[in-house]
Amino acid sequence: SEFLTGSRITLNSGFRVDANVPFIGRINSAIGSPFAFVTDETPTAVNRYVGWFSINLDPLTLALGEDLGVLVGYNAGGTAQFRVLIRRNAAPAENRLVIQGRDNVLGGLVEYGEEFPLVAGFNLVSLWWRALDDRGQVLVSVNNTPLRGIEDLDNQTSWIDTVRLGLVDGAPVSTVGSFYLDDFSSFRTLAP
C-alpha cells in the first residue's frame, strides 16, 4: 500500500502490516514541512519505557552539524524526555547515533559523552528509558551491543506519554536524501 497525504496519516489501534508486505506513507512535499513521523500514544504517564527499531541511512547525505531527531519521547506537556538522533562525524566520516535524556535538576537535555557508529544497511537500535531520583537512565544498544548510556539523570518526576519515530525534529537545511525505518516496537515497561 502507498498513502499520500497533505499533513497526517492516522492508523488506529489494530492496524498492522504483514511481514514482507510493503507499506509506504508519504507526506506531500509541497506543504513545506520536512518532518514526518509515526506517533505512539499508548505509553500513558509511564516512568519506564523501551522501544526498538531498524534504521538504514544509506540513501541519506547527512550534513555536518545537522543533527536529526529520529526517536523522541515526550511527556503530556510536549517536553522531550529523551532523544535519539543521528549525526554525521567528520573524522572518521561516518553516521552516528547520539542519545540525550532530560535531567530535571539541570533543567534540560543531557547528552551522553559517546556516539554510536552506524554501519551500512540496516542497524538495529534498542532504547531503554526510566525515571528515578538521581539514577534515571537512557540506555541504547546498536546492533545488539551491550546497553550503554546515561545512568545518573535526576528525572524522578518525569514520565512518557507520547513517542515519535521518523524525522521528528532538527534543522535539515543541507541534508538531502531519505532514510528507511522498520521493525518499530514500543512498550510501556522494561519487561515487554
Side-chain angles (χ1 to χ4, degrees), residues 18 59 77 85 96 109 119 128 158-159 165 169 185:
D18 290 331
L85 51 125
R96 294 185 176 182
L109 291 168
V119 298
W128 300 67
S158 295
W159 66 91
L165 173 73
D169 60 27
S185 297

Side-chain angles (χ1 to χ4, degrees), residues 2 5 17 23 45-46 60 65-66 72 79 88 92 95 100 106-107 128 130 137 147 154 160 179 182:
E2 183 169 344
T5 185
V17 177
F23 173 79
V46 296
L60 184 71
E66 293 186 4
V72 183
T79 302
R88 183 73 181 169
N95 293 323
Q100 300 172 336
L106 297 175
W128 300 67
R130 73 178 180 168
Q137 297 177 323
L147 287 167
D154 193 340
I160 300 293
F179 59 90
D182 203 353

Side-chain angles (χ1 to χ4, degrees), residues 21-104:
V21 175
F23 173 79
I24 299 170
R26 296 183 194 269
I27 303 294
N28 189 336
S29 60
I31 290 179
S33 173
F35 303 110
F37 46 81
V38 173
T39 302
D40 178 5
E41 296 175 338
T42 60
T44 306
V46 296
N47 62 1
R48 295 171 185 246
Y49 173 81
V50 63
W52 60 83
F53 63 95
S54 294
I55 186 167
N56 180 335
L57 301 177
D58 290 354
L60 184 71
T61 303
L62 185 58
L64 287 172
E66 293 186 4
D67 294 349
L68 303 178
V70 294
L71 180 68
V72 183
Y74 300 93
N75 65 15
T79 302
Q81 300 300 308
F82 66 79
R83 285 180 76 223
V84 176
L85 51 125
I86 53 176
R87 174 179 292 162
R88 183 73 181 169
N89 189 56
E94 63 187 7
N95 293 323
R96 294 185 176 182
L97 196 80
V98 177
I99 57 172
Q100 300 172 336
R102 177 162 302 282
D103 188 297
N104 296 328

